Amino acid sequence: MTKNCITYILLALLITTAICQGGFRPPVNYPVNPSPTSVVEGDFNRDGNLDLVVTGCGDANCFTQAVVLVLLGHGNGTFSRGDQFVAGPPNTTPDTLASGDFNGDGVPDLVVVNNGINQFGTVSILLGDGHGGFLAPVSYSVGGSTPVWPVVADFNGDDNLDIAVSVTTTASVAVLLGNGDGTFGPAVNYDVGTSVQGIAVADVNEDGNPDIISADECGDDPACRAGTVSVLLGIGDGSFEPRLIFAEGMFPLSVAVSDFNGDGHADLAIANPCGTDPTCVSPGGVGIMLGNGDGTF
């Protein structure tokens, strides 16, 4: 066997090993606007290929205009830059976003969380035009100056998508019920822990109604040294029961939901920058909370 053959065989083995171990190919980076902070996927131009929408600044001065930028997918893992669209009021910057079909036309729309300096943050709805673009934003107040994280679900069972947004300054989750035409009713806020950050949606008590789970960075501790997870159990009419409270490490920032132990119940994974170390000098951790199927963990 020649040296070249041996080299090729070793290379093939290395590539096969990387694939079998769940590895990824080297990244391909696409230039976007300054300060991208959030990305969602969807077929925004209805060509059968998944596209991306990324938050960003309209120019180098990040508090001039909030925008979102479209990256159009070609179906082979590559993308080309599309247009950018105004995402919120002047003098704000977009932080996070989520996607859903809010007016029932089969085209994914956007909900964008915008924040600014010396002004209340807003949640903007951008309806998709079906060609990879978006209509002008319509903004909604969420009852606090700093909204953080949006999620989308049908909370009242009317087949119209609704929105929930965590609001740090009021230690609450704001729920806006959708009318099915792309508009939303006024926000109703539900108390959670202080400095609430990421939220997620799942039916954690298995009653058929979506529930809301929040990562509360400071929990109920004025010194912000005891984070919590709050669970808002959905009643099914768009309202929620008072929070269930679970202790969870130092400064929990985001939460994910899945069945991690295969028992059919929803479990939680929580990102903790400081783990359980109050001095925050140890490495961070991920907290796993196994669900009991009744909304408790």
Side-chain angles (χ1 to χ4, degrees), residues 12-25:
L13 288 172
L14 289 172
I15 293 173
T16 302
T17 301
I19 293 173
C20 291
Q21 292 177 345
F24 291 89
R25 300 175 187 177

Side-chain angles (χ1 to χ4, degrees), residues 100-102 152-154 158-163 176-179 184:
D101 182 5
F102 301 129
V152 176
D154 179 7
D158 64 354
D159 294 325
N160 300 321
L161 288 180
D162 312 306
I163 295 169
L176 295 82
L177 298 180
N179 298 316
F184 292 81

Side-chain angles (χ1 to χ4, degrees), residues 145-174:
S145 61
T146 310
V148 179
W149 200 282
V151 293
V152 176
D154 179 7
F155 294 120
N156 59 350
D158 64 354
D159 294 325
N160 300 321
L161 288 180
D162 312 306
I163 295 169
V165 182
S166 55
V167 187
T168 294
T169 43
T170 55
S172 68
V173 171

Side-chain angles (χ1 to χ4, degrees), residues 16 68 150 187 197 200 222 254:
T16 302
V68 292
Q197 300 294 322
S254 65

